Amino acid sequence: MLNRSRNVICPTCQSVNSWEGDPAPDEALHCHQCHEFINTHQRYVEGLVKGEVARIMARYADPDSCYQLSLLKRVLADQPSVGARL
């Protein structure tokens, strides 16, 4: 699930920062402590989405073979008989 907290750690001083309210896509986030630029809201959201897609793809790219085999056995066991109508 996506992290919707919008908390971003400053790469310079490790301080936790966040946008206030509903930021515009091009609204920049600057560190409250060291005042360094961190990110724009659009780039932040794009990074979250890319990370979530990568996590989901990794989960299904290397499936658990024991789970897949047990699922296949259950599906094959539940097949209708030859004369049954679908």
Side-chain angles (χ1 to χ4, degrees):
M1 184 72 79
L2 284 172
N3 172 17
R4 294 202 237 166
S5 68
R6 296 191 284 185
N7 287 339
V8 181
I9 296 175
C10 176
T12 305
C13 70
Q14 306 305 310
S15 173
V16 176
N17 299 273
S18 63
W19 282 272
E20 298 295 326
D22 189 19
D26 59 345
E27 187 173 329
L29 178 64
H30 291 84
C31 180
H32 299 294
Q33 192 161 348
C34 70
H35 306 289
E36 288 290 319
F37 170 78
I38 298 175
N39 213 345
T40 64
H41 192 255
Q42 181 173 349
R43 285 187 12 209
Y44 167 74
V45 170
E46 288 171 355
L48 283 180
V49 171
K50 286 179 183 178
E52 185 68 9
V53 168
R55 185 188 70 79
I56 291 171
M57 287 179 67
R59 180 175 165 195
Y60 292 104
D62 187 23
D64 179 12
S65 59
C66 291
Y67 170 75
Q68 295 294 330
L69 184 57
S70 68
L71 183 62
L72 180 60
K73 286 179 181 178
R74 282 188 292 173
V75 168
L76 292 175
D78 289 341
Q79 281 187 344
S81 62
V82 176
R85 298 186 71 182
L86 296 176

